[in-house]
Amino acid sequence: MFPNWLLITLSFAYIVLLFVIAYLGDKYQHKLYKKSQVIIYALTLGVYCTSWSFLGTTGQAASDIFSYLPIYLGPILLFLFAWPFIQRIIRVSLKLNLTSIADLLAARFGKSHSLAILVTLVSLIGTMPYIALQLKAIVYSFQQLQMEQNFDLWQVGLAVSAVLAGFTIVFGIRSIDVTERHPGIMLAIAFESLVKLVAFLSIGVFVCFIVFDSPVDIYQQALASSNKPQVLPNMAAMFGMLIIVMAAFLSLPRQFQVMVVELQDEKDTWLSRRVFPIYLLVFALFAAPLGMAGQILLGDQVPTDAYVLFLPWHENQTVLTLFSFLGAISAASSMVIISSIALSTMLSNEIVFPLLFRVVKKQQANYERFRLSLLNIRKVLVLFVIMFGYSVFLLAPADTLSSLGEIAFGAIAQLTPALIVAFYWRRASLLGVFGGIVVGFL
């Protein structure tokens, strides 16, 4: 394995690179918008692929070849067959200058503040286990690859949370205008999407065509092994998961943030419909061969979720192993950054600022001081969201986080029926939508 100083140095260098990219993205945002906005927007949608995609689906495929497919098929089917609906959501949100899924649903039901608060709380609670999963991915990737166990898990997790919070506050919270866009962060997220894609693709090609003769060879050897995976799909379970994934995709706070809020012009979406499904297909095609290869070469020596990290190491590929480590960091950190921006915006818009405005007099003697107070509150909310996720990471048993992630997916999915009703059933009542979300969430 690797000495701690090497992993820390590599992680620090990567973080510094992200800061530089974000800084340049802010400084040259007008030039970037003219030349590369369409490409940047398409790549930022890759924030959907978290550590669950980079590490977890390979672990799932090791025991059940087809169980992970709904994670990728759901968004692909939406972009192929529900694109007009997605465009309609984007068009309405841009026209009304909306900043979150809570704003959108509230606007479609009489600007109901109560509904906005409910959606915000469901989004917050539903996202926390998922943020904890990302912190777990970074911490356990570091733990699995380090030579000496000199750091406790809580220490690494706290350091990771602090760095992600600092990055998000510096580049994500710059004014009290919650409709502000974040070109620097979007450029950094696009870069991270490239890193995790190239890392996963490199490992997939290396294992499938250099370590083995082909994916078919891996499949045949896996069937001949004592721990052969389940090859007959559970169609009922897969179909149920597919529906949940498709529903959750449309309402995930991080996805709404990059797909709608950060978009400047609806014309910039044309490339994403072509690129994003291909992006997902890369992960979908290589997850199963990597999972089966892990079972053949590594078996129970390491956790199945760590196969992507250890397959290059097993073949003495040091550079590729470190690249896979960076890929895992990219997959996890991008989700935490965007989710914390989205959730802090929802919390400030729907809960904190309205309460504050009721307490503070409308005539404020010192406007500048009041503006700074609001800005600091938004920064504190980012810290609150990330530390809340860190608390879930500490309190929840490590072996239950994945199942909590699936439950969180289901919780967020409860918002999508209300979203569909808002656009296609004009006679729907606020009470019915409110009750449906509450019952579904509970």
Side-chain angles (χ1 to χ4, degrees), residues 61-80:
S63 57
D64 188 341
I65 295 177
F66 299 102
S67 62
Y68 71 94
L69 283 178
I71 300 297
Y72 302 111
L73 286 180
I76 290 173
L77 292 176
L78 285 174
F79 268 60
L80 292 178

Side-chain angles (χ1 to χ4, degrees), residues 75-322:
I76 290 173
L77 292 176
L78 285 174
F79 268 60
L80 292 178
F81 301 109
W83 185 246
F85 179 47
I86 294 175
Q87 282 188 307
R88 191 174 177 185
I89 293 174
I90 292 173
R91 192 175 302 116
V92 170
S93 298
L94 291 179
K95 182 179 180 180
L96 300 179
N97 209 22
L98 304 178
T99 61
S100 67
I101 185 71
D103 275 354
L104 178 57
L105 287 176
R108 302 296 282 186
F109 290 97
K111 297 183 179 180
S112 170
H113 188 217
S114 299
L115 180 60
I117 292 175
L118 175 64
V119 173
T120 297
L121 293 177
V122 169
S123 299
L124 176 67
I125 296 172
T127 305
M128 284 306 103
Y130 221 59
I131 290 180
L133 271 174
Q134 311 318 307
L135 297 177
K136 173 195 173 185
I138 297 175
V139 171
Y140 281 90
S141 295
F142 183 87
Q143 183 191 44
Q144 291 290 334
L145 294 179
Q146 65 180 336
M147 184 179 297
E148 300 174 355
Q149 305 290 328
N150 293 334
F151 301 101
D152 293 330
L153 295 181
W154 72 268
Q155 293 174 319
V156 180
L158 182 60
V160 169
S161 301
V163 169
L164 293 177
F167 179 85
T168 306
I169 289 171
V170 169
F171 293 103
I173 310 296
R174 293 194 163 187
S175 75
I176 59 174
D177 180 11
V178 292
T179 63
E180 68 168 329
R181 293 180 173 86
H182 313 90
I185 283 187
M186 290 304 105
L187 183 60
I189 297 302
F191 172 75
E192 291 203 287
S193 293
L194 275 179
V195 169
K196 61 190 174 189
L197 176 68
V198 175
F200 199 81
L201 180 61
S202 300
I203 297 166
V205 170
F206 172 74
V207 171
C208 290
F209 299 104
I210 297 179
V211 178
F212 293 88
D213 291 335
S214 67
V216 175
D217 180 34
I218 296 175
Y219 179 73
Q220 292 174 342
Q221 291 193 38
L223 291 183
S225 67
S226 57
N227 295 323
K228 65 179 181 179
Q230 181 178 330
V231 295
L232 295 177
N234 185 334
M235 297 303 296
M238 286 183 61
F239 181 75
M241 191 61 183
L242 179 64
I243 298 300
I244 292 174
V245 169
M246 293 174 69
F249 179 85
L250 294 172
S251 299
L252 285 169
R254 70 178 187 275
Q255 216 62 40
F256 194 91
Q257 181 73 27
V258 297
M259 191 166 63
V260 179
V261 179
E262 300 292 343
L263 180 64
Q264 299 186 40
D265 191 332
E266 186 184 347
K267 295 178 181 178
D268 294 335
T269 63
W270 67 270
L271 183 64
S272 64
R273 191 186 184 189
R274 298 159 178 80
V275 169
F276 187 53
I278 297 173
Y279 188 97
L280 295 177
L281 275 176
V282 172
F283 284 90
L285 291 175
F286 283 107
L290 289 177
M292 290 185 288
Q295 276 286 14
I296 296 169
L297 299 176
L298 300 170
D300 297 329
Q301 300 176 44
V302 298
T304 56
D305 287 348
Y307 281 167
V308 172
L309 296 173
F310 280 94
L311 280 170
W313 178 259
H314 184 270
E315 301 300 318
N316 299 315
Q317 297 294 318
T318 303
V319 174
L320 191 56
T321 303
L322 291 175

Side-chain angles (χ1 to χ4, degrees), residues 2 61 101 349 435 441:
F2 302 99
I101 185 71
N349 266 17
F441 182 74

Side-chain angles (χ1 to χ4, degrees), residues 347-419:
L347 288 169
S348 62
N349 266 17
E350 317 302 347
I351 298 178
V352 178
F353 285 179
L355 288 175
L356 188 62
F357 290 143
R358 292 178 186 176
V359 175
V360 179
K361 294 181 179 180
K362 294 183 179 179
Q363 293 80 17
Q364 184 67 25
N366 190 334
Y367 170 77
E368 183 63 21
R369 183 177 179 182
F370 184 59
R371 187 190 69 82
L372 289 175
S373 297
L374 295 179
L375 187 61
N376 289 331
I377 287 173
R378 290 197 63 203
K379 293 177 180 179
V380 169
L381 288 173
V382 167
L383 184 62
F384 165 75
V385 169
I386 293 179
M387 296 313 295
F388 192 179
Y390 172 66
S391 300
V392 176
F393 163 74
L394 290 179
L395 296 176
D399 57 351
T400 65
L401 283 175
S402 294
S403 59
L404 284 176
E406 294 180 0
I407 294 172
F409 232 52
I412 298 296
Q414 304 307 315
L415 301 177
T416 299
L419 186 63

